Amino acid sequence: EPRVCRLWLSCAVGESEPGAADEFASLVKDSLWEPMQALAYRALAYYGRRKTLADLLPKEDPLSLAQADAWLEATHATDNDEHWTDRIVVASDGLLPPVVCDQWTALLRAETALACGAHPEVVEGDLAALASLADEHPPRTYAEAETRRIAARATAVLVRARLAQGREDEGVLTSPAGRLLPAWERAYLQALGRWQLSDRDEAVKRLEAALEHNPYQTPIRLALATLLADRSPEAALNALVHVEPTREMFASRAALLARLGRYNEAETALAHCGVASAAGSEPARYSWARGREQSRQRENALRTALAERRGDWNAAGNAWRTFCIGGQRKTLQEALRRRPRAGVT
């Protein structure tokens, strides 16, 4: 536990030690005091080791509040399940008073509801109430420190909820709770707001600033690659380089490689997006239900086009049927009759 503290403090002042992420992963396997366990989980998320984080969390057993918070930061191979929060168990003899535990649980449930497709208005009121918990005074106790963190996290989710409604609101990020967010996350959310307003150049600048603050975060890299794809596919590919890439990053890499005519490499990248792949999806805390659905559709559209190009019509048809679930087109053949023959573009 003292080692966790030393590593954490080194990271906090920008003097992280070589191999710190691996050491955090090793330390969290021990039976740590819950506040120290929470720091180790957050450090792994900071270093972008979100697949490692998922592997360290209980798969089916009950989750403490610290573990449940880490669950939203991790990348999981399965789709989000709104009922996973039923596994949260709050210890009756814990360090936090019941009111703080209730606030933390409410935050996790609101984040889960938004990630699973609930309308943002359903959770916006609860998030605004949680975001108001922070003030200008430094915390004097562990409970006050966690309350401030809950408020900061609620502020980030509130911004994302409003972005989902087409409402850009950077003012929330200047609130006391908003200023408690990591610098990379503030810049990232500001970039999404600029993107929402079609100010692509400013969005790219803010994403690049976010990447300077923290080069380990996949949400930043995925957004930056998406914005750079039209103008500079090679730069977009470079943005997707990561030690633990997510499924969405592999799919974006495959699309860029196909656009560049590197079809074999595109097939290899897309293979990581299969059901049996070890690559997890972007963490629920930094993704939207609609965005995940659109990503899966693009993934299957690309899988169809690549299979068609190599003449594997069975695979193309299967991918197309998956792509068109709920759509109007019934078969790949019907779609082909509606457009001229073309390769992957």
Side-chain angles (χ1 to χ4, degrees):
E1 289 164 358
R3 182 60 181 158
V4 171
C5 290
R6 292 192 187 99
L7 283 171
W8 176 268
L9 291 172
S10 296
C11 295
V13 296
E15 299 175 357
S16 58
E17 301 178 17
D22 291 331
E23 189 167 357
F24 274 119
S26 177
L27 288 166
V28 82
K29 294 176 183 178
D30 295 326
S31 181
L32 295 174
W33 187 39
E34 187 170 0
M36 297 300 100
Q37 185 185 62
L39 289 183
Y41 287 148
R42 292 168 195 172
L44 287 171
Y46 167 82
Y47 282 112
R49 303 292 289 273
R50 299 178 186 277
K51 175 64 171 58
T52 299
L53 182 56
D55 293 339
L56 291 167
L57 294 170
K59 298 294 185 289
E60 298 179 359
D61 294 338
L63 299 166
S64 67
L65 281 169
Q67 290 172 328
D69 197 272
W71 186 270
L72 288 175
E73 293 276 3
T75 63
H76 303 284
T78 56
D79 290 333
N80 292 328
D81 173 16
E82 60 183 333
H83 300 296
W84 78 268
T85 53
D86 295 341
R87 295 168 54 198
I88 299 174
V89 175
V90 179
S92 58
D93 57 348
L95 291 170
L96 296 174
V99 64
V100 177
C101 294
D102 290 343
Q103 290 164 347
W104 200 347
T105 303
L107 169 67
L108 299 176
R109 293 188 186 281
E111 288 190 86
T112 298
L114 188 64
C116 291
H119 195 280
E121 289 182 353
V122 174
V123 298
E124 192 168 343
D126 292 338
L127 291 171
L130 292 170
S132 69
L133 295 173
D135 56 31
E136 302 287 353
H137 304 291
R140 297 165 298 175
T141 65
Y142 173 57
E144 289 183 4
E146 285 300 335
T147 298
R148 284 160 61 87
R149 183 177 181 278
I150 290 167
R153 290 262 42 93
T155 299
V157 187
L158 187 60
V159 172
R160 291 178 49 246
R162 291 176 177 173
L163 286 171
Q165 300 175 75
R167 296 159 53 196
E168 183 273 335
D169 188 2
E170 286 189 15
V172 178
L173 294 173
T174 63
S175 67
R179 292 197 294 273
L180 294 172
L181 286 168
W184 76 262
E185 192 169 1
R186 288 200 307 275
Y188 167 69
L189 291 171
Q190 289 167 350
L192 297 185
R194 294 292 94 192
W195 195 353
Q196 184 92 273
L197 297 173
S198 300
D199 188 351
R200 296 171 67 91
D201 291 339
E202 185 62 27
V204 168
K205 289 180 183 178
R206 298 197 185 194
L207 286 172
E208 289 173 341
L211 208 56
E212 288 184 11
H213 287 300
N214 189 330
Y216 308 112
Q217 299 305 316
T218 60
I220 304 173
R221 291 184 171 278
L222 188 60
L224 184 59
T226 303
L227 279 170
L228 293 176
D230 291 340
R231 303 177 186 177
S232 179
E234 290 290 352
L237 280 173
N238 290 334
L240 292 171
V241 175
H242 193 271
V243 65
E244 291 186 0
T246 60
R247 177 173 180 165
E248 290 82 357
M249 293 178 79
F250 277 119
S252 294
R253 179 173 176 80
L256 288 164
L257 290 167
R259 182 181 300 177
L260 293 169
R262 295 157 61 178
Y263 300 116
N264 290 337
E265 293 176 76
E267 296 267 14
T268 300
L270 198 59
H272 289 278
C273 301
V275 176
S277 171
S281 299
E282 284 292 311
R285 181 161 273 169
Y286 305 102
S287 59
W288 287 259
R290 185 173 60 183
R292 284 193 304 277
E293 180 182 354
Q294 292 172 346
S295 177
R296 297 294 185 273
Q297 289 176 342
R298 288 192 294 269
E299 184 183 305
N300 280 309
L302 179 59
R303 189 173 283 111
T304 301
L306 289 171
E308 178 187 343
R309 180 183 177 277
R310 67 176 183 269
D312 188 345
W313 297 103
N314 287 332
N318 290 335
W320 184 260
R321 280 190 292 273
T322 303
F323 172 49
C324 289
I325 289 176
Q328 295 181 347
R329 293 175 178 171
K330 302 297 183 182
T331 66
L332 176 60
Q333 287 76 10
E334 179 185 355
L336 291 173
R337 286 197 297 270
R338 296 187 181 187
R339 67 167 173 82
R341 289 298 302 276
V344 178
T345 59

